[in-house]
Amino acid sequence: MKEEFFLQHPFFTHALSLLLGAVSSYVVWWFLNHKWLPIVRFGGEICRYSVGKEQALYVCAFENSGRRNMVDVEVITRIGVKKFNNSESWIYFSVKSNASQVPVIEPGRRALVRIFDERQPPVYIDEPPPSLRVKLDSCRTLEDIFMLSAAVEVRLHVFGFDSFSGVRHHFESPSYSRNDIRSGRLNGLVVVKA
């Protein structure tokens, strides 16, 4: 009799309701922000497309392998040069690409990012230092940029909003080096021979 009274007491029922509500809200929040969201997968290589006889463009690919649309996607190509002119640290600068703003990327869809085009000079988002800029202006290929120093890397930064929750996510590609450039064409996220 006392046990039945305790289970029906308002304090117990309110405390149990509060606990169940908090746990179920956390579970739903966790799934929305960790499982049911856009997830970006990056290709492991830079694809070098031949354009004409002596020119090329360099492309990276990524795809939304998650469960929801990514909207208002922003892509930044970031290049880092280490120990340029005997400096001890990295010098980073960003360049615009053809995919700087993408309205929507559905689940299972990929985006191609042109990170360097030999037919036109790069457009900088944040200017490199003048001494590096002079060297960059003389680079005709992406391979030339990789030769500026012993350590040069290219990374893609992808920012996008989850179409359901409105949460903005940041995804960073692996670091691409000179050894990651392959000539051919992209088949999904993999570079294959043309």
Side-chain angles (χ1 to χ4, degrees):
M1 202 69 167
K2 288 184 177 180
E3 289 179 10
E4 287 180 16
F5 177 73
F6 176 74
L7 294 177
Q8 294 174 353
H9 191 275
F11 176 77
F12 178 77
T13 57
H14 290 310
L16 183 61
S17 297
L18 180 66
L19 180 64
L20 287 175
V23 168
S24 60
S25 294
Y26 176 78
V27 168
V28 169
W29 170 85
W30 190 86
F31 272 99
L32 284 175
N33 290 291
H34 292 89
K35 290 293 181 187
W36 301 325
L37 67 146
I39 298 171
V40 170
R41 278 189 330 129
F42 292 92
E45 301 171 320
I46 298 172
C47 181
R48 181 183 188 277
Y49 280 105
S50 294
V51 180
K53 293 183 179 179
E54 298 180 3
Q55 293 180 318
L57 55 96
Y58 300 81
V59 177
C60 288
F62 68 90
E63 75 175 7
N64 177 2
S65 61
R67 297 176 183 246
R68 292 202 294 256
N69 289 346
M70 280 180 70
V71 295
D72 196 18
V73 180
E74 179 183 4
V75 182
I76 296 175
T77 303
R78 197 101 168 110
I79 301 175
V81 180
K82 189 174 183 181
K83 295 189 177 181
F84 180 75
N85 283 348
N86 298 319
S87 83
E88 290 300 316
S89 61
W90 286 86
I91 299 171
Y92 287 97
F93 59 94
S94 304
V95 293
K96 280 193 175 184
S97 70
N98 64 315
S100 293
Q101 289 292 132
V102 181
V104 64
I105 300 176
E106 296 90 3
R109 298 295 301 250
R110 72 172 182 169
L112 300 178
V113 181
R114 186 173 54 235
I115 59 173
F116 192 84
D117 190 339
E118 294 178 8
R119 299 169 297 178
Q120 56 195 22
V123 177
Y124 299 103
I125 297 172
D126 54 340
E127 290 280 333
S131 60
L132 179 57
R133 177 70 189 264
V134 169
K135 290 287 189 183
L136 288 168
D137 288 343
S138 67
C139 294
R140 296 290 165 233
T141 68
L142 188 59
E143 286 92 342
D144 292 343
I145 293 175
F146 280 117
M147 300 296 276
L148 289 175
S149 174
V152 176
E153 67 174 16
V154 173
R155 287 183 191 263
L156 295 182
H157 292 268
V158 177
F159 302 87
F161 291 93
D162 184 325
S163 63
F164 177 76
S165 68
V167 175
R168 189 174 196 228
H169 296 280
H170 168 250
F171 304 94
E172 183 177 351
S173 75
S175 174
Y176 299 110
S177 68
R178 187 174 192 271
N179 295 332
D180 295 320
I181 298 174
R182 301 277 183 272
S183 293
R185 62 180 179 82
L186 279 162
N187 182 8
L189 299 179
V190 180
V191 179
V192 297
K193 294 289 183 186

